[in-house]
Amino acid sequence: MSAIAPTPLCALTPTVATVLVVDRSPESDAYVQALAIDWHVVHAGLGADALRLGRESCPQLIVVDVTTPEDKGFDTARALHGDAQLAHVPIVFLADAENREAHIFGLGLGAADIITKPIDVHVLRLRIFNILEREHLRTTALVCKQELQTALAEKASALNLLESLFNASSNALIVTDSHFTVVKTNPLAAAYFDGSEQPAVGGSMSRLAFTDANGHCIPLEVLAESTEVVECVVRLPPGNTLSLELRARPVSGNNGEPLHLFILHDISTRIALEKERQSAIQDILQKAAELGVQKHAIDSHALVSITDANHVITYVNSKFCAVSGYSTDELIGRPHNMLKSSVHSPSFYRDLVETIRNGQSWQGEIANRAKDGRIFWLEMTIVPWVVDHGVPQQYVAISTDITDRRSAEEQLQLARTRELEIGAEIQGRLLFGAPPQKFAGLSIASFSEPSQGIDGDFYTFTKLNNSTIEVLTGDVMGKGIKAALIAAGVKSAYRRAFVEMVCGGGLRKTPTPSEIVNALNEATYSELCELGAFVTLTLARFDRRAGTVTWVNAGHTPMLVGRSASYTVEELPEGNLPIGVIPNERYEEHVTQIGVGDIVMLYSDGISDSTNSDGEAYGDWPVKEILRLALINEASPSITLNSLRSDLHNFTRATTGGDDRTALVIQSRHQRTERRGHVSDRRRPVYLDLPRRLDRLESLRHHIDGLCADQPEDFRQSLALAAFEAATNIVRHTPRNLKETPFTAVLRRTAETASVELVSEGEPFVPDGTPTPDFTGNTFGGFGLYIIENCVDKVEYKAPMPGMASIVLTKQFPTPGYHSRN
Amino acid sequence: MQIRAEPLSEAEGIAIVIECENLDAGNAQRFKEQVQPYLDAQALVIIDMCAVRFVDSSGLGAMLACLRSMNNKQGQLKLVSLASPVRALFELVRMHRIFSIYDTREDALASL
């Protein structure tokens, strides 16, 4: 109703209408007066006056006199009718009755009425009244028509909108008549009927079958009557189903007939999502329950701690608190290293942190310190929680308390070590009788390296009289305690056999080596058989006075003899089976001459069978070669043995395992008595085996004192000091495995000099010149070498034997010719 | 290692008599440990070496440690009665310039 075209003010019917009278004839005044009773009359003349007053007054009716001469009335009427503002105002012409032309003109111009002169005022009034009434009706009709058109346009627009909404709705819309015949659908609903033979419209809506959640059918009548939203499932003609929310609304058709509007909202997606969500929730609840069980299991067994990226503790379980002794409050917010113990090296923690910062799990055994200071051991797995960019946000550590296990392991290890120590001690006492320190005319050295802490090798020395000594050395098949016990048994059987033969038979002389070995075999054969063992051995008897060695070899490594006269090495033939193989084996003895300087070597096959990392065996050639070099270099037995050891070590390197290694070196030497030495004895070197202990080096000084007893004290002191400094160096740099092995000092004299050679295993050491010591006393270093260099006249570094190094200190006598002084 | 401590009657301090023949790698460490309490407690320590026949570089090192310990607290350390080979060693390594060495205990006390 708002879009009505504007109507001029004058066009509205005022309470009193305005009438413009264009007539200046004399008789006009009379009817103007009469008209003024009913209306507001504007009285104007012809021409411009009429147009001006007409525009000013906005009349509802114009009366024009066209009886005037020269058609001035027509011109005025034409002008008024042509004026835009006044064109629609009805005009009443006053014309002469007989003036037909005026009538035609007036009607042609659209006159509302033509009234003839003379004027009957009463008629004029009625006519004007009628015209105004008619005009009023016409105007009202126009307005109504206009309103009607507007309303129609609006209705059309609304219908259009409705239709669009109907078609574009995201819900399926179906309109049916009261018999549920489909009248109208939107495209979405029409698609529901795609599988139907009939098009959507015109067919029955019952082609769609509605059921409730339980699968019960819901009749269309019930759906149509329902005032609420019905959730249901519809089976479409093609057979597929949709979940719906359905609303029904009664509507009326164009002709007022009752219709049903069904609004079908597809909730399949929502239902599917809902189902998924429900299932996910179920899943989560299930998993949470499982996790709860697992957590309970872990909590009751393991220590759990969680730290943030900076290793600050954010969570600990009760087990963690129980083991560490801290409460939760004391741990949360503190750095995890508050539990750090001093057991591990800094690099251990560095590696750990680096591993987990790189996003990798760490696993290992770690010692932590509890609140009360005690150490507890954990087997720990740390898993970094990597969120993005590979940078861990937190670390979860799950640990098992292995303190008890560790402690048990340590105890066990301790027990094992102790067992080995005891074993080694028993072995040292039982299996290896120390060689006699002093036996006139023989120099003896021995070594044994067990393979497993306890040994099956053995040797023992028996002094028969002042010039005869015999050595029994052997190797029990096998290793470890069993072999050691058998070896001890064999040694004891050897002694018993010896004693029985001396006493039992009333023998007039000492039993021979072969008699002893035969008796030994008879005595031990059955026991060795029961134990499934056999023993290889050599019994060698040295007769210093006769200059012979008599030996029996029972399956043992052949004995070696180095001849000092020819610098050759002989391998003396083996002859018999090992002990314990057959009961009636006849063991035979052999004899060879041993001269001064000759060396006898007995060794177990553990030496020649030693292998290096390439699996090559050491063999017996290097043993013979070392023996030959010992002859050439006049090396003492201990130097020879240390050389063999050192060379063997250089060959095998880090290779462990293998058999026990035992070797004995016995050298025949010039006999000299302590009290009455021959002058030529002075020229022979004195070999001194020194223990590798700083507090046991005094004997070196005493021997040097003895060697140079004829020299002034400062001479003796200087040489002793130099030798002492050198010996101290050797002891300080002893490898761990040789701590128990002596090193050798060789003391020599010539007519002009006395010298001390200190021999130890290793590469020859040659210093880069003598460092100048710091004489200010601020530091104390480099004095040893300086003292050595300044106390003697010559310092030489040598490699006297394979694998051996030596330092030779030589000092010139101040007064040549000691003969006269002695 | 045996040492004997004798309080000085003439002055505030103590005399330490080394009662064994040698002061070397074998006992230098023990000597240092035994003498240290006296060095800590006394302002004057006289070490009497009349019995000592043999000193090596380790023995020298121990002596030097004693000297440093006394110097650090402005105390005095004096060595007396050095056998000639021992004195020779001190001279060889120029330590006779650093230590106060006297023939007798009386000479040492007289120098105060």
Side-chain angles (χ1 to χ4, degrees), chain A residues 474-519:
Chain A
D475 180 4
V476 178
M477 185 198 71
K479 290 181 273 186
I481 289 206
K482 184 182 170 190
L485 291 176
I486 292 174
V490 169
K491 267 180 73 171
S492 131
Y494 155 73
R495 293 209 185 287
R496 201 174 60 226
F498 200 107
V499 169
E500 279 173 3
M501 290 170 85
V502 170
C503 306
L507 286 175
R508 60 289 164 224
K509 63 179 177 84
T510 314
T512 63
S514 58
E515 285 169 343
I516 294 171
V517 175
N518 279 316

Side-chain angles (χ1 to χ4, degrees), chain A residues 86 181 199 220 229 233 290 297 355 368 489 494 503 511 538 549 573 587 635 721:
Chain A
L86 302 167
T181 301
L220 286 172
V229 177
V233 175
E290 281 170 17
T355 303
N368 281 335
Y494 155 73
C503 306
T538 295
V549 58
Y587 292 91
L721 182 56

Side-chain angles (χ1 to χ4, degrees), chain A residues 203-221:
Chain A
S204 172
M205 185 168 163
S206 61
R207 285 173 289 174
L208 307 180
F210 294 90
T211 52
D212 63 14
N214 301 319
H216 299 307
C217 179
I218 313 176
L220 286 172
E221 289 78 3

Side-chain angles (χ1 to χ4, degrees), chain A residues 62-287:
Chain A
I62 301 172
V63 179
V64 180
D65 175 25
V66 292
T67 61
T68 52
E70 294 155 15
D71 296 330
K72 276 189 179 168
F74 287 125
D75 292 343
T76 302
R78 203 178 282 117
L80 287 169
H81 188 69
D83 186 73
Q85 190 185 331
L86 302 167
H88 65 280
V89 182
I91 301 177
V92 175
F93 289 94
L94 302 178
D96 293 323
E98 62 277 17
N99 190 347
R100 185 168 171 266
E101 221 178 293
H103 281 251
I104 291 168
F105 172 76
L107 291 171
L109 208 62
D113 208 354
I114 295 174
I115 297 171
T116 53
K117 284 199 175 179
I119 302 293
D120 180 337
V121 174
H122 189 61
V123 172
L124 180 62
R125 275 189 60 233
L126 283 174
R127 292 242 177 151
I128 288 175
F129 190 84
N130 285 345
I131 290 168
L132 283 174
E133 187 62 31
R134 208 165 58 229
E135 190 60 23
H136 176 67
L137 286 173
R138 193 183 66 86
T139 310
T140 307
L142 271 175
V143 169
C144 285
K145 184 186 169 196
Q146 213 164 20
E147 284 177 358
L148 191 64
Q149 276 172 348
T150 308
L152 281 173
E154 278 176 0
K155 189 185 172 194
S157 159
L159 273 175
N160 211 359
L161 189 65
L162 211 57
E163 187 74 20
S164 298
L165 285 174
F166 188 84
N167 285 333
S169 171
S170 61
N171 294 328
L173 304 173
I174 301 171
V175 182
T176 70
D177 63 14
S178 51
H179 306 294
F180 301 110
T181 301
V182 178
V183 177
K184 185 173 173 67
T185 64
N186 67 351
L188 200 55
Y192 287 179
F193 297 94
D194 274 353
S196 167
E197 288 172 1
Q198 274 182 299
V201 175
S204 172
M205 185 168 163
S206 61
R207 285 173 289 174
L208 307 180
F210 294 90
T211 52
D212 63 14
N214 301 319
H216 299 307
C217 179
I218 313 176
L220 286 172
E221 289 78 3
V222 174
L223 289 172
E225 292 303 316
S226 175
T227 52
E228 298 189 342
V229 177
V230 181
E231 213 168 278
C232 58
V233 175
V234 62
R235 179 174 293 280
L236 303 178
N240 53 324
T241 57
L242 290 175
S243 296
L244 296 176
E245 264 178 13
L246 187 144
R247 284 185 193 81
R249 290 283 179 277
V251 288
S252 43
N254 294 338
N255 304 321
E257 73 278 19
L259 298 176
H260 298 294
L261 168 62
F262 294 97
I263 304 163
L264 287 69
H265 179 51
D266 183 355
I267 55 168
S268 302
T269 314
R270 201 188 81 198
I271 295 273
L273 283 175
E274 179 70 11
K275 261 188 192 159
E276 225 167 87
R277 197 174 70 90
Q278 282 298 336
S279 141
I281 287 172
Q282 280 303 320
D283 217 27
I284 287 168
L285 288 176
Q286 170 79 20
K287 289 214 166 86

Side-chain angles (χ1 to χ4, degrees), chain A residues 305-519:
Chain A
S305 59
I306 301 176
T307 70
D308 63 14
N310 298 318
H311 309 288
V312 171
I313 300 172
T314 57
Y315 171 83
V316 287
N317 71 351
S318 53
K319 182 97 176 171
F320 194 101
C321 295
V323 173
S324 69
Y326 289 101
S327 69
T328 310
D329 292 344
E330 288 171 317
L331 290 165
I332 302 277
R334 302 279 309 279
H336 204 284
N337 65 13
M338 71 182 282
L339 300 159
K340 195 167 162 178
S341 71
S342 52
V343 172
H344 306 288
S345 65
S347 67
F348 174 87
Y349 293 103
R350 233 183 357 258
D351 291 349
L352 190 163
V353 169
E354 201 172 305
T355 303
I356 59 175
R357 282 211 177 132
N358 288 336
Q360 293 167 319
S361 293
W362 181 90
Q363 202 163 17
E365 293 186 1
I366 189 166
N368 281 335
R369 191 174 294 284
K371 190 179 181 183
D372 60 10
R374 116 196 98 79
I375 298 285
F376 61 97
W377 277 90
L378 299 180
E379 186 172 317
M380 186 180 270
T381 304
I382 307 176
V383 181
W385 196 285
V386 180
V387 176
D388 52 0
H389 309 306
V391 181
Q393 301 296 301
Q394 52 180 353
Y395 302 102
V396 181
I398 298 178
S399 320
T400 314
D401 184 0
I402 55 164
T403 310
D404 291 347
R405 198 191 82 198
R406 287 285 302 205
S407 149
E409 279 173 2
E410 272 164 23
Q411 292 292 330
L412 198 64
Q413 190 54 44
L414 215 64
R416 275 198 198 120
T417 310
R418 180 139 176 70
E419 193 180 283
L420 281 179
E421 278 169 8
I422 292 171
E425 199 183 332
I426 289 172
Q427 171 194 357
R429 288 175 196 279
L430 281 185
L431 302 190
F432 302 114
Q437 287 296 309
K438 280 175 185 167
F439 188 83
L442 286 183
S443 186
I444 303 170
S446 63
F447 88 76
S448 188
E449 281 182 353
S451 55
Q452 275 190 357
I454 305 176
D455 205 341
D457 282 6
F458 64 93
Y459 55 76
T460 182
F461 293 86
T462 312
K463 190 172 164 185
L464 301 181
N465 57 49
N466 279 340
S467 66
T468 313
I469 189 168
E470 93 179 7
V471 58
L472 175 74
T473 180
D475 180 4
V476 178
M477 185 198 71
K479 290 181 273 186
I481 289 206
K482 184 182 170 190
L485 291 176
I486 292 174
V490 169
K491 267 180 73 171
S492 131
Y494 155 73
R495 293 209 185 287
R496 201 174 60 226
F498 200 107
V499 169
E500 279 173 3
M501 290 170 85
V502 170
C503 306
L507 286 175
R508 60 289 164 224
K509 63 179 177 84
T510 314
T512 63
S514 58
E515 285 169 343
I516 294 171
V517 175
N518 279 316

Side-chain angles (χ1 to χ4, degrees), chain A residues 694-695 698 701-702 713 717 720-721 724-725 728 732 774-780 783-784 786-787 790-791, chain B residues 21-22 24-27 53-58 60-61 64 68 84-86 89 92-95 97-98:
Chain A
L694 291 174
D695 56 354
E698 275 177 62
R701 284 210 333 268
H702 297 145
E713 190 189 8
Q717 284 275 353
L721 182 56
F724 200 85
E725 294 291 343
T728 308
R732 286 205 171 116
D774 176 9
F775 293 117
T776 63
N778 292 326
T779 57
F780 197 83
F783 276 100
Y786 176 81
I787 290 169
N790 282 280
C791 283
Chain B
E21 267 191 25
N22 53 313
D24 57 26
N27 61 9
R53 312 304 301 167
F54 180 80
V55 175
D56 73 346
S57 62
S58 301
L60 270 180
L64 202 59
R68 234 180 271 147
S84 78
V86 176
L89 175 65
L92 173 65
V93 297
R94 327 273 209 275
M95 288 298 130
R97 298 184 196 161
I98 294 157

